[in-house]
Amino acid sequence: MNCEPHVAALVCAENIALNYLLHEVPEPPQQKPTEHFRGSEEEYTLSFSKEKELVEVLSFLAKTKDGSDYIPAMCVEQGLNGAALKALLAINKRTYTDGDGLLQSLKTGFENIFKPERGSSTEITKRLLEMIVQMCSSRIASRLRLTGKKRKNSKASINDILQEAIEGTRQIHPQKLIRFNLEESLLLFRAESKSVIQSVNEWSNHRVSHRLNDIVEKMYRLNNVHGLQQLLHLIPHGPTKVIKQAAFTATLLNIIRKVSRYKEAAQVLHRIAKKFPLVRNIEIQLATLPQEAFDRPHHPEYSPSLRAVLSRLGKINGKQYNVSQISRFMRNDKTKNPDEQFSEQTTRILQEAKIHAEIQLIAYCEIESPPLFPRAIASSKDACFLCHAFIQNHHKMHTSRTHGRLYPGWRLPNLLSFKTLEHRFNEILVDRARQSIRARDKGQMCARPYPNESTLLPMLISASTMSAVQDLVEITTGGVSLAGVSPGSGTVERAVSTADPPKDIKVISSCFLAPNDPFTGVITPTASSPFFQAGPLHIHLEMEESSASESTTKCLAFSIERMNVKQITKLPIGSLMLDVMELERDMTYALPADGTFCLTAHDITVKIVCKQ
């Protein structure tokens, strides 16, 4: 057996073990700005933003079972000239056949979701949700804490939590509700919570799929209660209060948002498929690597040596660090010396490490070498430190977020075609170890707490050619797209055709801190899309097409005006004003009778009036 190809794998395991002993969370959680990929965007049928959106939806749905095993990841491969579309799927694997049953189950589940279906938008979205709930029923029940036996230390179910929240809202000071205009929101929260509790009770008595659908629908409605987050944060907590735990609100919001995401996923999939028919015929492809990719290094005489690895780092801060100097930077286990800790960790990596799903997808695409390389990759969890570092070094794909934690049970596939990337990655790990030692020695790096590894990214993001380091808002109403403005004016108006006048508005938001820009506040449309810009606030108005083709075409006009402080103070009490920076998902609001609502971000406020 030729052991030479395995040398890089041994070095990689040593580098991972060293970095883990130096810092378990090398970087803080962070959301990555959308990168601009080289190459012609026109070659792809789906824009990068839509490809990313589709990948993130699918990867969320692919986690159908609880636990840290078999974490899935997905990417989308587009054919030339829109000829085909493949969704590539992988899960964390220790061996070649690891998790094969789950992969086949996921493939079947996705194929059921994408079965062609005719009908109205409402009917198709309903069927999509039914298929999604069928595929993800176990995971949804777990998120609602409705699985397992009741035990003394078991977590409270969604019913118990909502009932506690309802009682807790009775302790909110009335003046706070008036101050934040949340009286109606409180009444709606209580009503929707009781509706969820009733549906959960019905499901518990007879666990059938359509009743779980009903719970998801009602959780979605609860999620869309205006000012929900702000309302829940007003609930007092403490030893003498109904709510004892400080983390109560965060826990409840997390459950509501993640269960609501299944309904949002159905809406997004329908929305993308309606605009891009190619998505309706998407092929689910398992990204299976060759069996030899899972071979492990076999060196009977090999023995990990921390001293040898440190010598490989060379001089840092002008000196060569030895084991005793490094030991004070490492994870503190007083029962073992640094050499022993390092040796055990390296051996464990070589014997037990998994190839994470994101790495399998990259390796699969490198082997297949498609004409259009996938540009976005996503897992059901935020990318770990090592996956994120590798994706960045690979330079061909984008992942939206990393939690920054280093998992030592991580490895690269054993593929000759991957050796260049492996050598390059080893250099990155060595450089990272040097940085950690340098920072540790200067007291510039302290231990970070374990991060939340599963976060929800904004899902419904409109396509745009603008930079992603801006505030982007897409407003959708029932009808047709609102597009175009008269340039050079602080107020813009435009009449458009619509099947029906709008009755409600859906605000879809992705918020980022904007850099300083030269705009003076005059709203300027982009040349190619219905976007409006007021400083760092960017707005896209869009109306969905009506399914009622026989409806009489009516005319709808709108105006947009940037407001000053004096104008804001003159707004009527109770005006609908939406803070873009607080939006983390799509929200639906009833359109006021006068058709007026306001958007605010940072110190900018914009008034939008829909005129019938």
Side-chain angles (χ1 to χ4, degrees), residues 78-185:
Q78 301 184 52
L80 288 171
N81 303 316
L85 191 67
K86 293 180 182 178
L88 306 182
L89 169 66
I91 59 174
N92 290 7
K93 283 182 139 191
R94 186 173 281 116
T95 65
Y96 176 64
T97 58
D98 200 10
D100 280 356
L102 175 60
L103 281 169
Q104 289 298 329
S105 175
L106 290 173
K107 187 175 188 295
T108 301
F110 277 122
E111 286 171 346
N112 288 335
I113 289 173
F114 285 101
K115 278 182 180 176
E117 183 95 2
R118 293 184 180 274
S120 67
S121 292
T122 301
E123 291 167 343
I124 294 173
T125 303
K126 181 181 178 182
R127 190 203 69 81
L128 281 170
L129 179 59
E130 289 171 354
M131 293 298 101
I132 286 171
V133 170
Q134 183 177 320
M135 174 177 163
C136 304
S137 58
S138 174
R139 181 70 165 155
I140 294 170
S142 176
R143 290 191 188 281
L144 293 165
R145 302 185 177 183
L146 300 176
T147 57
K149 297 180 180 179
K150 287 275 186 180
R151 295 179 181 173
K152 185 177 179 181
N153 296 323
S154 63
K155 293 181 179 179
S157 72
I158 185 62
N159 275 12
D160 296 332
I161 296 172
L162 286 176
Q163 192 60 55
E164 195 174 354
I166 291 171
E167 293 301 317
T169 59
R170 302 187 195 284
Q171 295 184 321
I172 299 175
H173 197 288
Q175 285 301 319
K176 289 186 177 181
L177 294 171
I178 295 170
R179 178 185 173 190
F180 295 107
N181 196 26
L182 291 172
E183 301 100 316
E184 289 187 12
S185 296

Side-chain angles (χ1 to χ4, degrees), residues 436-451:
S436 293
I437 291 170
R438 191 177 295 116
R440 288 273 194 184
D441 202 19
K442 294 180 179 179
Q444 296 172 344
M445 183 180 287
C446 57
R448 298 186 180 98
Y450 286 160

